């Protein structure tokens, strides 16, 4: 009797899964049944088979706001199958027009052996009409012993409805700068990301790039294929850029179109910087990184407003070398991994460092930038600009000094977004950074970087603001002397 009571409680807990008054006949097997098994996470994104999550309840409806292919699992609850089982289903649009989407497979699912889940893939061909929906229904099954829908008749899950909500389609650059050698025929491969997908026929009809070209190149892209999350582009240089005293730069900017909004990182810069002779063996970047320690920090101070008073305020950030290929002109061998095989050798840029997380999706406090804002979002998805993976470049004095030289804040645009509250979307801001200064060994093994950092954004700062920075390769350093100059204060994004 106690066992029967326990099983009844279990039936209530997993009501949507399979339970009925006959499910737990002692010594009997549950009758087999087939149903839609569409699960969603807390952020309303689908759980795709074969990922499983027993704590989630199958849904009978889903509001879709993405162009990406929607995958709807259908599960057969039984033990191992001795024979192949097929199930037919229908897919009907509320408008009576099925030309805006395709379904694969067309109308039949297959289950065999231990394969007890099949997936219906709904792909969207055209932008849908307002208030449109698609209803999938399990119609028949080849084995008459298999019940269509949960055995519990209250939540059968024998139909699944896709409500097509208004969609926001946008695009962004995942990387905002590439450095080139300037050799004719050189190719730069880059992506444009579409977080909610795209329709190829719409993309072909519009131009979403604006160009500021400092040299000649050809731009092509790959076929779209089935991937609707990004487009791969290829920029091929059509001229030699061999004057080492000239900085060559071309910029590609994403612009808004009627159906697609440019968001996040809007500008991609292709640069051949001026070339200064530098001895690789000086390797100043190695003074400010330790690849053997994933949690190596550099320490800094910046002149900033603190409750109405300017003062030096401390920060730190995880610091890493910039990994490059062997043919990079600034490449210096870091490790051969103890093998004679050159293909696994690791090279670092001898003159660049950057700031990033060791792993995960959070952000570090590059240049103490989080103090500049009162309501920043700290995730890399919204504020990727807090992780500046190629941030500072060193130029040894006379090209060969091992103790001092100049330093450049590598000019680039970073993206910072505001914290999200409730249903509000973050405010996204593109900020140009630049600056320069010096570095030197101020005591045995202790190096100081002294530089000005400039931030430019008309909306946030009314133009360009700047302040002084000091950075050190050790947590113990002399406190900088107070300055007699103004300082910036935090702003609201």
């Amino acid at each position: 009797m106690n066992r029967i009571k326990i099983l009844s409680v279990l039936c209530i807990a997993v009501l949507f899964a399979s339970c009925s008054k006959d499910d737990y006949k002692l010594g009997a097997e549950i009758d087999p049944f087939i149903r839609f098994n569409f699960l969603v996470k807390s952020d309303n994104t689908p759980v795709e088979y074969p990922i499983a999550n027993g704590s989630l309840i199958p849904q009978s409806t889903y509001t879709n706001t993405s162009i990406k292919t929607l995958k709807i699992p259908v599960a057969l609850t039984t033990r191992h199958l001795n024979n192949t089982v097929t199930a037919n289903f229908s897919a009907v649009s509320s408008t009576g027009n099925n030309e805006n989407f395709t379904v694969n497979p067309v109308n039949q699912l297959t289950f065999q052996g231990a394969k007890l889940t099949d997936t219906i893939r709904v792909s969207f061909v055209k932008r849908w009409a307002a208030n449109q929906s698609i209803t999938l229904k399990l119609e028949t099954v080849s084995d008459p012993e298999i019940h269509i829908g949960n055995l519990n008749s209250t939540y059968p899950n024998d139909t699944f409805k896709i409500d097509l909500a208004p969609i926001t389609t946008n695009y962004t650059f995942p990387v905002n700068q590439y450095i080139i050698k300037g050799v004719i025929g050189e190719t730069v491969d880059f992506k444009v990301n579409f977080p909610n997908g795209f329709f190829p026929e719409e993309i072909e009809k519009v131009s979403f790039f604006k160009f500021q070209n400092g040299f000649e190149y050809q731009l092509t892209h790959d076929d779209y294929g089935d991937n609707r999350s990004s487009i791969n582009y290829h920029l091929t240089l059509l001229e030699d850029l061999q004057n080492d005293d000239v900085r060559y730069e071309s910029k590609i900017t994403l612009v808004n179109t009627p159906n697609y909004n440019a968001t996040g990182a809007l500008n991609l810069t292709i640069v051949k910087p001026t070339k200064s002779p530098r001895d690789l063996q000086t390797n100043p970047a190695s003074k400010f990184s330790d690849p053997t320690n994933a949690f190596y920090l550099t320490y800094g101070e910046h002149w900033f407003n603190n409750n109405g008073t300017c003062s030096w305020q401390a920060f730190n950030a995880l610091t890493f070398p910039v990994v490059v290929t062997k043919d990079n002109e600034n490449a210096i061998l870091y490790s051969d991994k103890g093998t004679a095989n050159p293909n696994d050798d690791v090279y670092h840029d001898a003159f660049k460092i950057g700031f990033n997380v060791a792993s995960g999706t959070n952000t570090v406090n590059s240049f103490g930038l989080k103090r500049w804002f009162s309501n920043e979002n700290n995730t890399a998805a919204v504020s990727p600009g807090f992780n500046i993976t190629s941030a500072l470049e060193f130029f040894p004095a006379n090209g060969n000094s091992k103790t001092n030289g100049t330093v450049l804040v590598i000019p680039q645009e970073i993206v910072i977004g505001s914290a999200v509250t409730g249903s509000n979307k973050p405010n996204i801001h593109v900020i140009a950074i630049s600056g320069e200064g010096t570095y030197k060994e101020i005591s045995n093994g202790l190096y100081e970087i002294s530089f000005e950092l400039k931030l430019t954004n008309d909306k946030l700062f009314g133009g360009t603001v700047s302040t002084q920075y000091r950075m050190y390769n050790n947590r113990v350093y002399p406190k900088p002397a107070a300055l007699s100059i103004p300082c910036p204060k935090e702003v609201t994004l």
Side-chain angles (χ1 to χ4, degrees):
M1 183 68 179
N2 289 337
R3 183 181 179 190
I4 295 175
K5 287 181 178 179
I6 293 172
L7 292 174
S8 298
V9 172
L10 288 174
C11 282
I12 295 172
V14 292
L15 180 64
F16 295 105
S18 64
C19 293
S20 75
K21 62 184 179 61
D22 295 324
D23 281 353
Y24 291 98
K25 300 173 183 176
L26 295 180
E29 184 178 336
I30 299 172
D31 294 336
F33 62 95
I34 186 173
R35 87 286 192 193
F36 289 102
N37 193 34
F38 187 86
L39 308 176
V40 295
K41 293 179 281 189
S42 58
D43 62 357
N44 201 44
T45 58
V47 177
E48 293 191 5
Y49 177 81
I51 298 174
N53 190 325
S55 65
L56 298 177
I57 298 173
Q59 303 295 303
S60 59
T61 63
Y62 178 70
T63 300
N64 183 57
T65 60
S66 173
I67 296 171
K68 296 178 182 178
T69 296
L70 187 62
K71 301 176 182 179
I72 303 102
V74 178
L76 174 56
T77 299
T78 186
R79 292 185 177 179
H80 189 280
L81 293 171
N82 294 322
N83 301 306
T84 298
V85 171
T86 60
N88 290 330
F89 67 92
S90 61
V92 179
S93 169
S94 60
T95 63
N97 178 9
N98 286 12
E99 294 182 357
N100 289 348
F101 64 93
T102 62
V103 176
N104 185 36
V106 175
N107 60 11
Q108 190 173 85
L109 301 165
T110 303
F111 309 88
Q112 53 190 359
K115 177 184 174 293
L116 300 179
T117 294
D118 203 355
T119 301
I120 300 172
R121 292 169 172 81
V122 179
S123 300
F124 302 99
V125 181
K126 299 179 181 178
R127 197 170 290 266
W128 51 75
N131 301 318
Q132 185 176 356
S133 65
I134 302 169
T135 299
L136 305 175
K137 183 179 180 182
L138 297 173
E139 300 283 2
T140 62
V141 62
S142 61
D143 185 342
E145 297 296 322
I146 297 175
H147 187 268
I148 296 177
N150 279 327
L151 300 183
N152 183 294
S153 58
T154 306
Y155 302 97
N157 290 118
D158 58 347
T159 63
F160 183 76
K161 183 182 179 185
I162 307 167
D163 289 317
L164 300 178
I167 53 175
T168 299
T169 43
N170 46 42
Y171 36 52
T172 186
F173 285 122
V175 177
N176 59 19
Q177 181 173 277
Y178 288 94
I179 305 297
I180 59 175
K181 299 176 184 177
V183 179
I184 189 169
E186 183 179 357
T187 299
V188 174
D189 301 322
F190 66 90
K191 288 180 180 287
V192 176
N193 281 351
F194 294 77
N196 283 337
F198 66 91
F199 293 112
E201 67 172 18
E202 292 180 346
I203 294 298
E204 288 290 353
K205 294 177 181 178
V206 299
S207 174
F208 50 87
F209 288 145
K210 181 175 69 175
F211 303 93
Q212 292 177 293
N213 294 332
F215 48 81
E216 295 295 323
Y217 59 85
Q218 180 184 42
L219 196 62
T220 59
H221 66 76
D222 290 347
D223 292 338
Y224 302 127
D226 295 329
N227 174 22
R228 300 295 168 80
S229 297
S230 63
I231 300 177
N232 296 317
Y233 283 87
H234 313 283
L235 183 152
T236 303
L237 198 60
L238 298 180
E239 62 175 308
D240 275 321
L241 311 176
Q242 297 305 315
N243 188 339
D244 291 340
D245 296 327
V246 175
R247 175 184 171 89
Y248 297 90
E249 178 178 303
S250 286
K251 182 179 290 186
I252 302 174
T253 301
L254 292 171
V255 297
N256 292 326
T257 67
N259 288 322
Y260 294 84
N261 297 319
T263 60
L266 307 183
N267 296 309
L268 173 66
T269 305
I270 314 295
V271 178
K272 180 185 182 293
T274 56
K275 187 174 181 180
S276 300
R278 289 177 285 185
D279 182 356
L280 288 174
Q281 299 309 312
T282 61
N283 197 10
S286 65
K287 307 296 191 299
F288 299 93
S289 64
D290 180 5
T292 65
N293 180 2
F295 302 101
Y296 176 84
L297 297 168
T298 50
Y299 302 83
E301 306 248 358
H302 61 167
W303 189 246
F304 208 80
N305 187 291
N306 182 18
N307 295 322
T309 302
C310 293
S311 63
W312 288 107
Q313 298 189 58
F315 67 92
N316 58 62
L318 291 169
T319 310
F320 298 92
V322 175
V323 178
V324 295
T325 57
K326 180 180 180 179
D327 61 350
N328 186 293
E329 64 180 4
N330 297 330
I332 188 167
L333 180 64
Y334 167 67
S335 173
D336 62 6
K337 293 190 174 180
T339 72
N341 182 4
N343 295 326
D344 65 0
D345 292 350
V346 178
Y347 288 85
H348 292 163
D349 192 306
F351 306 107
K352 293 179 182 177
I353 60 170
F355 312 104
N356 203 355
V357 291
S359 62
T361 59
N362 215 318
T363 55
V364 295
N365 197 12
S366 300
F367 298 135
L369 288 174
K370 294 180 181 180
R371 187 172 284 121
W372 286 72
F373 313 106
S374 62
N375 60 329
E376 72 279 1
N377 186 301
N378 290 319
T379 65
V382 178
S383 298
F386 284 135
N387 296 334
I388 307 177
T389 57
S390 186
L392 292 173
E393 183 168 7
F394 302 95
F395 297 85
N398 301 316
N400 60 9
S401 175
K402 294 186 177 182
T403 60
N404 70 97
T406 58
V407 67
L408 178 73
V409 177
I410 299 172
Q412 58 193 286
E413 292 179 327
I414 62 174
V415 176
I416 306 295
S418 65
V420 180
T421 57
S423 60
N424 293 334
K425 293 184 178 180
N427 293 314
I428 302 297
H429 301 273
V430 178
I431 302 168
I433 64 170
S434 61
E436 58 184 346
T438 61
Y439 73 95
K440 62 181 178 180
E441 187 177 26
I442 58 175
S443 64
N444 187 25
L446 177 62
Y447 282 81
E448 177 188 72
I449 308 172
S450 174
F451 63 97
E452 178 186 40
L453 178 68
K454 299 177 182 179
L455 276 65
T456 301
N457 180 285
D458 289 339
K459 183 176 181 180
L460 292 176
F461 310 119
T464 299
V465 292
S466 66
T467 194
Q468 286 292 315
Y469 277 74
R470 306 289 186 266
M471 288 183 63
Y472 304 89
N473 62 338
N474 193 296
R475 62 189 294 269
V476 179
Y477 57 83
K479 188 75 173 180
L483 304 176
S484 57
I485 60 172
C487 61
K489 59 181 180 181
E490 69 178 14
V491 298
T492 300
L493 296 168

